[in-house]
Amino acid sequence: MADPSHITYTENLQKFLRLPQGGKIIAEYIWVDSEGGVRSKSRTLDAKDTDYTPAELPMWNFDGSSTGQAPGENSDIYLQPVAVFPDPFRGTPNILVLAECLNNDGTPNKYNHRHECAKLMEAHAEHKPWFGLEQEYTLLDLNDRPYGWPKNGYPAPQGPYYCGVGAGKVVMRDIVEAHYKCCLYAGVKISGTNAEVMPAQWEYQVGPCEGIEMGDHLWLSRFLLHRVAEEFGAKVSFDPKPIPGDWNGAGLHSNFSTKEMREEGGMKHIEAAIKKLESRHAEHIAVYGEGNEKRLTGRHETGSIDTFSYGVANRGASIRIPRECAAKGYGYFEDRRPASNADPYQITGIIMETCFGAVSE
């Protein structure tokens, strides 16, 4: 169970969170670090009658040498606001600010994958690309042991846990429910959640989102999940295989469609896109997450990491075409290859690049 000291701390904090702010707001700037984690820090801004837009927010900076994003002798990394969300932890009028990381010469930091993704989305915007991502994760205690697992050994084999209800089947639902409500409050386009096939493993879905919004909303949802888990004294792992054993690995399945695919006769566009994906299988695997070889084994509803495959309603393939879409002749397809720790900007960016071409400098 969660650490009760964290619950007491949260209850005591509430009386301070309700204090007036004297015409000021708190902006929490959030960015992605060198290891695919999230970092944040706070600053005070003047309150205003209308909502802040990214263009109205000041750039900021941080010590990149402490996050693995810059050397110590040239450590300033700039934070360029790109998206603004209501803050579910401090409440209105406080805000969460998602930011890109820029070097001191204004170029994107090497770990800033949003910059190239945004260029691709803008260049191919006429196709109206829609994405939906299915984020799987595991909840761990402070000793890196999945919640609900026996201290020594493993739980019973998978079977009763997927979409399970009841004690002994699911654990830490309080974190899942709190995260869901935080996403809704913040305006994240979360569309659902469910328990997964391993105890302490859960999934939530974000989308459909158009273009760069997909990566923005997925990263913000990850930040919210870490912050909620922090309140309960728990850790979130996006490792595709956090515990060895005969379990399904955690993925970040990507559902994708374009305007052409969603219209009558769209199946020919879906099939053409899949052929293009097949021709660049290795390039996609290279950016689809660390440790993916532990997950893409050809077992447990995955395809082999070395082989590209596709099929209708086939969860053992690289690409799945939903049966309903095959029957209608239009819709979307699901790329089942990305690992749970993959960067959504890289996933959505390379899909656009493969389907419609790279963007010249």
Side-chain angles (χ1 to χ4, degrees):
M1 67 182 284
D3 181 352
S5 67
H6 285 263
I7 298 173
T8 302
Y9 165 77
T10 301
E11 291 173 346
N12 289 336
L13 180 62
Q14 291 306 310
K15 59 186 177 184
F16 300 107
L17 291 178
R18 289 191 289 267
L19 292 173
Q21 297 183 185
K24 303 292 184 179
I25 72 165
I26 304 171
E28 190 76 11
Y29 278 55
I30 302 160
W31 69 95
V32 183
D33 67 15
S34 63
E35 296 183 350
V38 284
R39 308 274 183 139
S40 75
K41 63 177 186 172
S42 312
R43 70 179 297 167
T44 304
L45 300 173
D46 290 329
K48 55 196 290 286
D49 293 335
T50 57
D51 293 337
Y52 273 98
T53 66
E56 293 173 320
L57 290 165
M59 288 186 67
W60 206 8
N61 63 77
F62 66 93
D63 172 16
S65 68
S66 296
T67 63
Q69 291 169 273
E73 66 274 11
N74 190 16
S75 64
D76 282 358
I77 298 294
Y78 292 100
L79 292 170
Q80 174 67 64
V82 294
V84 184
F85 301 85
D87 186 342
F89 304 108
R90 296 183 175 117
T92 303
N94 304 298
I95 58 175
L96 304 176
V97 180
L98 189 65
E100 281 193 28
C101 294
L102 305 178
N103 299 318
N104 60 9
D105 61 358
T107 60
N109 185 258
K110 66 181 291 187
Y111 301 104
N112 175 0
H113 300 301
R114 186 186 189 278
H115 183 79
E116 287 301 318
C117 181
K119 287 166 58 178
L120 283 159
M121 296 302 176
E122 183 178 0
H124 304 303
E126 71 273 14
H127 296 289
K128 300 291 183 183
W130 288 3
F131 296 91
L133 291 177
E134 302 173 13
Q135 176 71 74
E136 296 177 335
Y137 62 95
T138 307
L139 292 169
L140 309 176
D141 64 24
L142 296 183
N143 295 313
D144 292 330
R145 188 73 174 165
Y147 277 101
W149 283 43
K151 291 185 177 180
N152 298 300
Y154 293 85
Q158 63 186 52
Y161 313 114
Y162 172 69
C163 296
V165 176
K169 297 178 182 178
V170 297
V171 293
M172 304 305 285
R173 192 185 291 273
D174 44 2
I175 290 179
V176 175
E177 293 292 323
H179 174 247
Y180 205 149
K181 292 295 288 287
C182 283
C183 285
L184 291 174
Y185 182 95
V188 171
K189 292 184 176 179
I190 187 170
S191 51
T193 189
N194 59 269
E196 266 300 332
V197 298
M198 184 184 84
Q201 187 184 74
W202 291 82
E203 174 190 304
Y204 64 91
Q205 305 87 35
V206 178
C209 296
E210 186 169 329
I212 197 63
E213 181 183 64
M214 182 70 259
D216 291 348
H217 281 232
L218 200 283
W219 271 117
L220 201 281
S221 76
R222 285 178 172 177
F223 169 80
L224 295 175
L225 181 57
H226 280 296
R227 279 286 283 106
V228 168
E230 175 188 318
E231 297 286 343
F232 289 88
K235 298 168 70 175
V236 179
S237 174
F238 293 113
D239 190 317
K241 200 84 169 182
I243 298 293
D246 193 28
W247 304 96
N248 285 26
L252 184 60
H253 300 163
S254 175
N255 300 297
F256 175 67
S257 70
T258 62
K259 176 172 61 69
E260 298 87 354
M261 295 176 189
R262 296 187 294 270
E263 296 172 346
E264 290 284 348
M267 189 55 62
K268 66 180 180 183
H269 295 283
I270 291 174
E271 292 172 346
I274 291 173
K275 287 298 182 184
K276 291 179 179 179
L277 294 175
E278 182 176 19
S279 70
R280 301 189 73 207
H281 178 63
E283 290 90 334
H284 281 250
I285 291 297
V287 298
Y288 274 4
E290 295 294 326
N292 214 5
E293 72 283 351
K294 296 182 292 184
R295 173 180 159 267
L296 295 181
T297 61
R299 301 179 65 242
H300 297 308
E301 298 184 343
T302 68
S304 168
I305 195 169
D306 299 316
T307 306
F308 182 90
S309 59
Y310 68 95
V312 174
N314 185 356
R315 283 179 164 77
S318 307
I319 304 293
R320 178 181 71 94
I321 300 172
R323 187 171 301 283
E324 179 186 5
C325 297
K328 292 190 304 184
Y330 61 91
Y332 69 97
F333 65 82
E334 176 190 42
D335 189 342
R336 299 180 57 80
R337 296 172 294 173
S340 51
N341 58 6
D343 188 314
Y345 296 131
Q346 290 188 292
I347 295 171
T348 58
I350 197 170
I351 288 175
M352 293 298 289
E353 180 182 272
T354 296
C355 291
F356 303 112
V359 177
S360 58
E361 294 295 331

